[in-house]
Amino acid sequence: MARTVIQKIIQNYEIIGYPRLVRLNPNVPWKTRGNGALCIRVGKTSGGIKRKIGVINGKEVFCSSTSNAGLDKSQQRHLATIVKETVETQARIDDTNTNPGYVLLAERPDEELYWKAVTTIVPLDEVQSLLQKHDAIFEGYKNCRGLIGATAAICWEPGERTFELITYRPQQRWGLKRVVDAVSVQHLDADCPSTFDNYDVRNHHNRIVPNSPCPILYGIRGDDPESLMTASMLVKSEPIDSWMMFETNQGTDNHLQNNSINQIKPFESVIIQGTVVENPFTIQGGHVLFRIQDNTGTIHCAAYEPTKEFRSIVRGLSGGDLVDVYGGVREHPLTINLEKICIKKLSTVTEKIENPVCPKCGKHMKSKGSNQGYKCIKCGTTSSQPRLQQKTRSIKPGFYEVPICARRHLSKPLKRMTQHSTIAATGTSDTL
């Protein structure tokens, strides 16, 4: 849909900066599949720095760094007509879970709404009130919840950001099986190191290819637009009709909030530091659970079956381990669904190697029964403790994350956590 809108508006207007793909709270019960919204800034300009952001029907598309003039009311209404026609012809309004909306604003409201929408549940009436206050042109369809995402996307002011290059299929191939060479995608991490979440080798999952029968062929995510364009040329696939570069909040952890256990609310995403209460256990379906506690309470954490090998890390935890857990909060029962975990400190775990040796006779004592200690059958000497040794742990302190096949759009991969600290240290910046 964004591609179609851009194709129509560039005939009369300028795109200002990159188009934006903004992901919102991934825990909202009524969310769309990716819970995302699109934002395109439009204006008039007479020159300045321009940057290539895509190709549509063989024609290169550029964005400008700044706008020299805003749009008058007539131009705004013209834009609204373009967007309205596109939504009503291309949005799957007949789908039960699709409730689109569009918003046009001459000025960006405060960023506060974005942070609410990416971390909490935002009431629709709050957004409608804000739109009326700012004299917006807007329309919501069905239950109108799409207005929340559209407005939040406008309010986003990128601090940390990533990019996604999205390619589109010719219309005659919509709905057909996609042809994207898996081997070429597997090479992207090595060939274009600033890209991320490309291919899950262990679970044979091509992450850049969507599952739905939509017009998108694939989308590559990364930190650098130039590298993404290189990456796209390295992917072997069926013919591409067009492509577009988006500025995004994907891979930023914007949805997470540092909290204590007593502050946790359903449908939010949290970072909690706590001590593991007891050893993890596995329930039907292969889901692994454990409890943590801080000085305010106790809560269950879960690594569900779709997190695959990540569950082996969780099974390696023991009571007394100090951890930071990252994840979304399920309502019933109140549980943190893990996205990643940082093991801060491992407790000392001991294991029995043999019954105690009698200090008088030099012989191994015999057990008197469960939890009743030990006794030398020759001289009667007793002991309450067997011989113990420190157990070698299967895990080490550090960060662990779910595999690519289970990763949420907003979750920051460990790869980015390392790379971003390096980029920040060098002072790299981008004006567009």
Side-chain angles (χ1 to χ4, degrees):
M1 192 182 304
R3 170 201 169 280
T4 303
V5 171
I6 290 170
Q7 182 181 6
K8 292 178 178 179
I9 63 179
I10 58 176
Q11 298 174 29
N12 298 293
Y13 309 102
E14 294 279 352
I15 304 297
I16 309 302
Y18 290 100
R20 293 176 176 178
L21 170 56
V22 181
R23 302 289 181 177
L24 304 167
N25 186 349
N27 305 302
V28 175
W30 49 82
K31 70 181 179 70
T32 56
R33 182 188 298 269
N35 212 27
L38 300 164
C39 174
I40 305 167
R41 291 168 294 162
V42 183
K44 288 284 189 179
T45 181
S46 58
I49 300 173
K50 292 195 174 185
R51 176 169 292 179
K52 183 177 176 180
I53 58 171
V55 172
I56 299 177
N57 292 339
K59 181 181 178 181
E60 293 183 329
V61 180
F62 295 86
C63 70
S64 298
S65 56
T66 58
S67 174
N68 292 335
L71 304 184
D72 60 32
K73 285 293 184 181
S74 174
Q75 292 169 325
Q76 292 174 30
R77 287 192 293 270
H78 178 227
L79 276 177
T81 300
I82 292 173
V83 176
K84 178 182 175 68
E85 290 175 349
T86 306
V87 170
E88 293 180 353
T89 56
Q90 293 198 1
R92 294 291 303 275
I93 298 178
D94 58 325
D95 189 307
T96 306
N97 298 317
T98 300
N99 301 282
Y102 66 85
V103 173
L104 279 81
L105 279 161
E107 294 184 0
R108 184 179 67 84
D110 189 86
E111 192 182 14
E112 180 185 5
L113 179 68
Y114 163 72
W115 288 106
K116 284 185 177 180
V118 80
T119 57
T120 65
I121 305 291
V122 177
L124 176 60
D125 57 0
E126 178 181 332
V127 172
Q128 291 172 322
S129 176
L130 182 146
L131 293 176
Q132 291 164 359
K133 176 183 175 182
H134 285 266
D135 195 25
I137 300 173
F138 64 95
E139 183 170 357
Y141 297 81
K142 296 161 69 176
N143 68 23
C144 297
R145 286 196 182 116
L147 293 174
I148 301 172
T151 309
I154 293 173
C155 293
W156 179 50
E157 183 64 22
E160 182 180 358
R161 61 177 179 171
T162 61
F163 296 87
E164 182 169 1
L165 187 152
I166 295 178
T167 63
Y168 301 89
R169 316 176 76 187
Q171 188 167 354
Q172 61 268 26
R173 290 197 57 82
W174 293 3
L176 300 179
K177 183 178 179 180
R178 292 175 175 85
V179 179
V180 179
D181 178 60
V183 175
S184 65
V185 177
Q186 291 175 37
H187 290 162
L188 292 182
D189 283 299
D191 296 337
C192 302
S194 67
T195 64
F196 60 89
D197 288 357
N198 296 312
Y199 197 94
D200 187 331
V201 176
R202 180 166 180 169
N203 296 295
H204 310 290
H205 178 76
N206 192 341
R207 181 68 168 179
I208 74 170
V209 178
N211 294 318
S212 61
C214 64
I216 293 173
L217 178 59
Y218 62 77
I220 311 173
R221 304 171 184 90
D223 286 294
D224 176 56
E226 297 297 327
S227 183
L228 287 176
M229 286 188 275
T230 300
S232 182
M233 289 187 288
L234 297 175
V235 174
K236 298 177 181 178
S237 72
E238 64 184 66
I240 293 171
D241 174 74
S242 53
W243 65 267
M244 190 63 56
M245 186 78 69
F246 292 87
E247 181 179 46
T248 89
N249 63 343
Q250 297 173 147
T252 62
D253 276 349
N254 274 187
H255 61 311
L256 293 167
Q257 306 173 82
N258 283 287
N259 261 336
S260 57
I261 290 175
N262 68 340
Q263 295 175 320
I264 291 176
K265 297 177 183 178
F267 312 128
E268 297 185 356
S269 296
V270 296
I271 305 172
I272 302 290
Q273 183 168 111
T275 302
V276 178
V277 175
E278 75 260 310
N279 292 349
F281 56 94
T282 303
I283 62 173
Q284 186 176 6
H287 315 305
V288 182
L289 280 73
F290 64 97
R291 287 188 300 145
I292 62 169
Q293 65 179 11
D294 63 10
N295 58 7
T296 70
T298 303
I299 192 169
H300 274 99
C301 303
Y304 290 107
E305 188 280 331
T307 63
K308 305 301 179 185
E309 64 269 20
F310 178 71
R311 294 171 297 163
S312 297
I313 301 300
V314 173
R315 289 190 182 102
L317 295 171
S318 288
D321 292 344
L322 180 65
V323 297
D324 289 345
V325 296
Y326 297 66
V329 181
R330 173 181 172 177
E331 183 177 24
H332 297 299
L334 200 66
T335 307
I336 299 174
N337 300 345
L338 295 175
E339 297 174 15
K340 53 180 171 267
I341 187 170
C342 180
I343 301 172
K344 310 286 284 188
K345 184 179 181 181
L346 292 174
S347 62
T348 299
V349 178
T350 58
E351 59 184 347
K352 173 185 172 181
I353 57 173
E354 61 182 6
N355 289 355
V357 174
C358 177
K360 295 180 180 179
C361 305
K363 302 290 185 181
H364 284 97
M365 298 181 182
K366 299 293 184 182
S367 173
K368 295 165 62 177
S370 180
N371 298 318
Q372 296 182 51
Y374 303 87
K375 183 177 181 179
C376 177
I377 60 174
K378 185 174 183 180
C379 68
T381 300
T382 61
S383 175
S384 60
Q385 292 293 328
R387 292 187 64 185
L388 304 173
Q389 71 175 12
Q390 185 171 329
K391 184 178 180 179
T392 301
R393 301 293 298 275
S394 62
I395 54 177
K396 297 178 180 180
F399 266 103
Y400 299 88
E401 63 184 348
V402 301
I404 290 172
C405 66
R407 190 116 69 227
R408 283 178 153 170
H409 293 292
L410 280 163
S411 294
K412 184 184 291 189
L414 300 190
K415 176 180 181 179
R416 279 208 77 238
M417 294 174 76
T418 303
Q419 288 181 341
H420 191 260
S421 62
T422 303
I423 292 170
T426 62
T428 300
S429 64
D430 194 328
T431 58
L432 268 177

